Amino acid sequence: METFFAGEIATELVKELLKVVRRTYLCRPAAEQLKRSVDALLPIVQEIRHSGVELPQHRQSQLSELADQLRLALDLARKAAASPRWNVYRSMQLAHRMERLDHWISRWVERHMPAHVLADVHHLRVDYSARLDRIERTLDMTAASAALAAARVPVAVGSVPFSGSPLTEMMDGLVPAAAAARVPVAVGTAPSSGFPVAEMMEGLVLRGEGEKPVGVGIRVGKERVKEMLMAGGDRAAVVGISGIGGSGKTTLAKGICRDPQIRSYFNDRIYFETVSQSPNLESLKLKLWEQITGNMVLGAYNQIPQWQMELGPRDKGPVLVVLDDVWALSVLEELLFRVPGYKILVVSRFKFPSVVKNNYEMELLGEEDALSLFCHAAFEQQSIPFTADKKLVKQVVEECKGLPLALKVIGASLRDQPPKFWARAKNRLARGEAICDSHENKLLEHMASTIGFLSGKVRECFLDLGSFPEDKRIPLDVLINMWMELHDLDEEDAFAILVELSNKNLLTLFKDAQNRAGDIYSSYMEFFVTQHDVLRDLALHVNNCEPLTSRRRLIMPRRENELPREWERNKDELFEAQIVSINTGEMKESDWFQMHFPKAEVLILNFSADQYSLPPFLSTMPKLKVLVLINHGTSCTLMQNLSVFTTLNNLRSLWLEKIAVPPLPKTTVPLQNLRKVSLVLCELNNSLRGSKVDLSMTLPRLSHLTIDHCIDLTKLPSSICNIGSLQCISISNCHDLSELPGEFGKLSSLEILRVYACPSLKRLPQSICRLKRLKYLDISQSFNLRELPEELGHLTSLEKIDMRECSQLRTLPRSSSSLKSLGHVICDEEVALLWKEAERYIPDLRVQVAEECFNLDWLVE
């Protein structure tokens, strides 16, 4: 089976590498070399694949390892083929990873391939020798049996040999197992599964669960949708999956995307896009057009040029685009391109009969399937355990009304709870009253009782999640920091609440955040949180139960062109909100109206605009502690009305994302209480070039500075080194950063320094050796860093160094053996050898060789 997958992947990989060679200049040498390696490997893999030999476990494991790496290479090639030509840094990263993969494949071939070929020859000889012997014996037995039968009893015409006849035995072993597996299964039958229904809710994974295929509850729907997608004619060009929120629509769609028949039919040209209620439509159209046609739209276009529309697609084969969470017919109509072979799978709570002619409507779970799913969430087994009250469990399940999401969330919330807790839950669910005739709103009432079992601060933190836009990833750093300031939590307590909400299926953590972000020196910057839109609706539903001016959270549920009229009607009132969340497009100063927020502590501004004026009511927020500005547009936003910053005396945390930071005037009013500044995807050079502002006077208490993906940053202003309160500096993915200030050693309070994924950085200033409090140093993925400071051993408090993928480092300073507090070094295999000498002098040192990682999550926009 693994050779089958390896062969298929290798074949597809060669095709994708050819595209890379043709399209991407910087990746061309690495792609050509990788293609040569795969070309040489492919015939041998195919030979093993078609040999019919059942491989022993250790050989299957080796081929499985090869298949995994080929899958990574295939994903890498596809990303390289689609990578914009202007993004030099991305192309360099892709080329580097291709080289690493080529090296790995070459080593695999050298180690394992000769043994595989010789073993196959031996197995074939032994196998066919045994089969021939068996055939000869069987023929002899058959002849003897026939002679004996002829002598005793005549055989009736048309009789059938019984199952144990020698003729049957003769055929044993001649039919490969793979062929037997291809025998068609009757419609409606399904192989047994230990727990099929729990597989329905991929994305809301219980503790200990991995990803699983689609379950029995939607198998029939999967086959119906597949038939629609593979049917011919224009009528089948748009296919729909509709149903109530949380009914498993997205899970079904993802299962269809992974289906081998669908992948084969569309030749793996399948694209999945989440649309949501407030999409950036032109950006989405541009992205889909490039994916569907293979024609790159170069230049600063906000929409598809007409001359591009007149170009035909490069590849005439079929293509499938899945549009998840579609809310408006007008949006859907904008995404219907007239391209041969273009098919759309629309996933929505609504039906669009004027466009979607073939639609499958999700059904809620029946009694048996609902009970199974609930038991897996509550008891982590298929059925009700004998120690539980069966009647009580079934009553709770009945109140979930067959909705998979409700079964998962309510089941998880009752896990490990005593019987009285269950009885109370049943009673509260039974008392849930509908706010309208909609089934979904009834379920919101029922599910609202779930968060009633959360402790006070955990419940408040769950409700805070509704402040972030629908279908957007929530930066973990923003969330943790907001909780710390708003609810007076320590960082450890905020993280514990995050884990509790995740364990109760009330949010989803990305990239193994629960384990990796829990490290004492980890950065939250690369981690994200998402929430199912029904759970967000639940948070909004609970928040909106209070009168508008009395709500603790004042939230715009989706992006609008202007502020809600209900807000304007109450603008003369005092709003009690502690969190204010606004989601708009471009806003000029005249688009705002004055409002009064005397208790507001958090302001979240989400927008999509080239220019954006800050709201004047910032001046009415004397208690504001956290300000978050996130631009979801395609380019950095130019900010206006910056004078409102002069009133933010209590501001403690500032997050700017995709903002063109303006130059700071000399008259800038000090932000006396600002502790944390995060700059993500920002343009900084205009603000730093020639700046005479003394940052130590403007930001006298700054303790945490984060700069991520600010690609125009070439160097830091030297005045940063005068901020004596700085405890943590994190600079990542700034590929033009070539140097750090020479006065870096003046940062006497600095404990954490991260300078990772900065490929232009060639050396660290010698002065960092004076950082007596420095405990953690991260210089990973600094590919051109050639040396470490000679007096590195003076960092007497240093406990951990992460220096993986520093391929140019050839030596360590002699003084490194004096790092007596050093307990952990993470590095590549070559650098690990350099630390062997130091290990003799540092008794507690643990050198960890980092695994080769080809994770492509960083490429996701």
Side-chain angles (χ1 to χ4, degrees), residues 156-204:
V157 177
S159 63
V160 181
F162 58 91
S163 61
S165 71
L167 186 62
T168 306
E169 294 178 4
M170 186 174 74
M171 301 304 296
D172 180 39
L174 296 181
V175 180
R182 289 194 293 269
V183 175
V185 181
V187 176
T189 63
S192 60
S193 171
F195 186 69
V197 181
E199 299 164 354
M200 293 185 61
M201 294 305 294
E202 179 202 1
L204 288 170

Side-chain angles (χ1 to χ4, degrees), residues 674-860:
L674 190 60
R675 279 5 185 230
K676 186 170 185 176
V677 173
S678 300
L679 307 171
V680 182
L681 291 165
C682 290
E683 292 179 0
L684 299 179
N685 258 358
N686 284 339
S687 64
L688 301 179
R689 189 182 293 116
S691 175
K692 302 298 183 182
V693 174
D694 187 349
L695 293 178
S696 65
M697 298 294 293
T698 306
L699 308 170
R701 296 185 182 179
L702 187 68
S703 60
H704 290 72
L705 174 63
T706 298
I707 304 175
D708 180 58
H709 279 95
C710 297
I711 60 175
D712 69 335
L713 179 68
T714 56
K715 61 180 181 180
L716 295 176
S718 58
S719 61
I720 280 183
C721 302
N722 296 324
I723 307 177
S725 56
L726 269 174
Q727 299 175 10
C728 174
I729 295 179
S730 180
I731 307 172
S732 55
N733 300 292
C734 298
H735 69 257
D736 282 345
L737 180 68
S738 57
E739 60 178 331
L740 297 179
E743 303 91 340
F744 222 72
K746 295 168 63 176
L747 296 169
S748 57
S749 300
L750 197 66
E751 298 182 0
I752 296 175
L753 175 59
R754 302 186 185 94
V755 193
Y756 64 87
C758 297
S760 296
L761 188 67
K762 295 183 178 180
R763 62 183 58 86
L764 298 175
Q766 292 289 337
S767 64
I768 72 163
C769 301
R770 300 201 300 268
L771 301 176
K772 299 300 183 182
R773 294 187 182 182
L774 192 67
K775 296 181 179 180
Y776 177 60
L777 176 63
D778 185 353
I779 53 174
S780 59
Q781 297 183 27
S782 296
F783 306 120
N784 289 308
L785 188 65
R786 301 180 183 277
E787 60 183 6
L788 296 177
E790 190 57 43
E791 297 180 351
L792 188 72
H794 292 180
L795 298 174
T796 53
S797 298
L798 192 62
E799 298 176 355
K800 183 176 179 179
I801 303 177
D802 189 339
M803 52 193 306
R804 69 189 89 190
E805 297 189 58
C806 294
S807 54
Q808 298 297 321
L809 278 177
R810 297 288 185 266
T811 60
L812 293 177
R814 291 185 179 181
S815 64
S816 58
S817 58
S818 300
L819 297 169
K820 301 301 182 182
S821 297
L822 189 61
H824 191 190
V825 173
I826 305 174
C827 58
D828 296 333
E829 190 172 355
E830 295 82 0
V831 179
L833 297 175
L834 303 177
W835 283 100
K836 287 295 183 183
E837 179 69 20
E839 282 184 296
R840 296 167 49 190
Y841 302 97
I842 308 175
D844 296 326
L845 178 60
R846 177 170 65 94
V847 179
Q848 175 186 345
V849 176
E851 296 181 4
E852 292 187 357
C853 178
F854 302 100
N855 193 324
L856 299 175
D857 289 347
W858 61 279
L859 289 174
V860 177

Side-chain angles (χ1 to χ4, degrees), residues 223 256 263 271 300-301 321 332 451 474 506 536 575 621 649 655 666 673 705 721 795 816 836:
E223 293 303 318
I256 289 171
R263 291 182 62 185
Y271 305 100
Y301 289 106
V321 172
L332 177 58
I451 63 172
I474 305 170
L506 293 171
R536 181 175 182 269
F575 286 82
M621 296 180 167
N649 297 324
W655 176 284
K666 286 186 177 181
N673 291 299
L705 174 63
C721 302
L795 298 174
S816 58
K836 287 295 183 183

Side-chain angles (χ1 to χ4, degrees), residues 502-515:
S502 174
N503 289 341
K504 293 184 181 297
N505 295 322
L506 293 171
L507 57 78
T508 302
L509 293 173
F510 271 72
K511 295 184 65 176
D512 192 26
Q514 182 167 331
N515 295 322

Side-chain angles (χ1 to χ4, degrees), residues 118-138:
L118 290 174
D120 287 339
V121 172
H122 173 73
H123 280 301
L124 286 170
R125 290 179 60 188
V126 172
D127 186 51
Y128 280 105
S129 176
R131 292 187 184 189
L132 288 171
D133 288 343
R134 186 161 66 242
I135 290 172
E136 289 178 358
R137 289 196 304 271
T138 304

Side-chain angles (χ1 to χ4, degrees), residues 408-581:
K408 282 279 264 191
V409 172
I410 293 174
S413 70
L414 294 174
R415 187 189 303 138
D416 300 326
Q417 297 295 340
K420 286 186 177 180
F421 208 83
W422 279 73
R424 180 168 171 246
K426 186 262 297 182
N427 293 331
R428 295 187 65 172
L429 286 168
R431 289 196 301 266
E433 297 177 0
I435 58 176
C436 72
D437 293 334
S438 162
H439 186 172
E440 186 167 356
N441 283 332
K442 289 181 182 179
L443 281 166
L444 284 177
E445 282 292 332
H446 288 307
M447 292 178 66
S449 66
T450 300
I451 63 172
F453 298 121
L454 300 174
S455 62
K457 288 193 175 181
V458 177
R459 180 181 184 275
E460 293 302 314
C461 288
F462 168 78
L463 295 177
D464 292 342
L465 289 168
S467 307
F468 295 91
E470 174 195 34
D471 292 325
K472 299 292 185 184
R473 298 190 302 178
I474 305 170
L476 187 56
D477 202 20
V478 170
L479 191 62
I480 292 289
N481 190 62
M482 184 179 79
W483 285 347
M484 290 171 61
E485 297 293 349
L486 196 60
H487 304 297
D488 298 323
L489 296 170
D490 294 331
E491 182 178 338
E492 295 78 11
D493 293 332
F495 189 78
I497 289 176
L498 181 88
V499 173
E500 181 176 347
L501 292 174
S502 174
N503 289 341
K504 293 184 181 297
N505 295 322
L506 293 171
L507 57 78
T508 302
L509 293 173
F510 271 72
K511 295 184 65 176
D512 192 26
Q514 182 167 331
N515 295 322
R516 293 174 55 206
D519 183 82
I520 189 171
Y521 292 123
S522 64
S523 169
Y524 294 140
M525 282 301 300
E526 59 183 300
F527 302 110
F528 299 90
V529 170
T530 61
Q531 188 177 43
H532 193 284
D533 52 3
V534 172
L535 291 171
R536 181 175 182 269
D537 288 346
L538 171 61
L540 293 175
H541 168 72
V542 175
N543 279 322
N544 295 343
C545 288
E546 295 291 330
L548 180 71
T549 57
S550 302
R551 294 174 189 169
R552 187 170 183 180
R553 301 163 190 86
L554 189 66
I555 301 170
M556 287 180 64
R558 62 189 60 86
R559 192 175 74 179
E560 305 284 354
N561 292 327
E562 57 186 16
L563 296 182
R565 292 184 179 180
E566 186 182 14
W567 293 16
E568 187 173 9
R569 285 194 295 268
N570 291 271
K571 66 180 182 179
D572 295 328
E573 303 290 330
L574 293 179
F575 286 82
E576 301 290 318
Q578 288 183 286
I579 300 178
V580 180
S581 176

